[in-house]
Amino acid sequence: MLFPAQGNFFKTLFRRDGPWTGFGVHRPRQDGAARFVDDRLAPRPDLGDAPGRILLWRGDAPAGRVVQVNHYSVRSVHEFLVKRARGLPNRSDKQIDLAYWVERNFNQVECARISPQIPAMAATCAELRALPGVAEAEAAARAWHGARLAEILGSAEGAKLCGRLVLAAGSVPPGDRVARMILDQNRAAEDQTT
């Protein structure tokens, strides 16, 4: 989609032996030139040009994809309410509000590419839960989440936002023509203020 830009953010996978100084939210922090490739393993030197910048995908969905990472910044209304109360780990000043939900909640395409891996994932989860303390820690985390959600929904503000999120659940990105018009309007408005 062309608009909003948040629909084009993507995460990176990287090798540990690169010119990295640490983990970033969407890409590693780099202290030198890096070699980037896209999800078809085609060289993409343009992706390394702005270290620290969130990466945006501006192109068609490539055929012949070799790797894919699905990351959902919003999952469900209840998960969102708890996320909002917790805040973002990387941007404490960013508002997590109805606009955040509407700009990211696009459930237009179902992706089932992970389906063949579900049995292996379930087996690995069972192995992890068998380790000392892991099942108990998971149960405690789920209990905390449930209690926090109940607290949020018990407040007037939380209950009101929950209703608005449900109403906004059907967000649909605009088509290319309208998206380009919005982007042009945004650029023109930004030019006026600078």
Side-chain angles (χ1 to χ4, degrees):
M1 72 181 80
L2 293 173
F3 180 83
Q6 292 83 349
N8 293 299
F9 289 170
F10 65 89
K11 301 283 189 178
T12 57
L13 297 175
F14 59 95
R15 293 184 177 157
R16 291 188 293 174
D17 62 351
W20 319 125
T21 60
F23 292 100
V25 175
H26 286 262
R27 65 189 282 173
R29 293 187 181 105
Q30 63 190 84
D31 63 357
R35 185 176 79 87
F36 280 83
V37 296
D38 66 17
D39 50 3
R40 293 172 295 132
L41 304 182
R44 289 289 305 270
D46 58 304
L47 295 178
D49 290 344
R53 202 179 99 228
I54 289 179
L55 299 171
L56 295 170
W57 184 259
R58 291 291 190 206
D60 296 329
R65 177 174 278 160
V66 176
V67 64
Q68 175 176 317
V69 175
N70 290 19
H71 170 73
Y72 305 98
S73 57
V74 297
R75 291 177 244 345
S76 71
V77 168
H78 288 165
E79 291 285 339
F80 181 80
L81 289 168
V82 174
K83 175 179 184 165
R84 179 178 185 269
R86 180 202 72 209
L88 296 174
N90 60 315
R91 301 255 322 261
S92 60
D93 61 331
K94 179 149 182 72
Q95 290 291 315
I96 305 175
D97 53 13
L98 187 60
Y100 186 101
W101 172 268
V102 170
E103 291 174 348
R104 290 163 178 81
N105 185 45
F106 300 111
N107 299 305
Q108 306 298 311
V109 178
E110 182 178 351
C111 179
R113 292 184 72 181
I114 193 73
S115 296
Q117 303 303 320
I118 290 176
M121 180 206 63
T124 300
C125 287
E127 288 175 20
L128 292 171
R129 288 182 183 116
L131 295 173
V134 173
E136 294 80 6
E138 180 185 21
R142 290 181 185 276
W144 174 88
H145 191 277
R148 186 68 178 111
L149 177 61
E151 181 183 340
I152 293 164
L153 292 175
S155 73
E157 179 188 3
K160 188 175 183 178
L161 179 59
C162 182
R164 288 180 174 161
L165 294 170
V166 169
L167 289 172
S171 299
V172 178
D176 286 355
R177 185 182 66 76
V178 172
R180 281 190 180 89
M181 181 184 72
I182 293 169
L183 290 171
D184 290 345
Q185 289 170 343
N186 287 341
R187 275 190 218 107
E190 286 175 9
D191 290 346
Q192 292 287 333
T193 59
T194 57

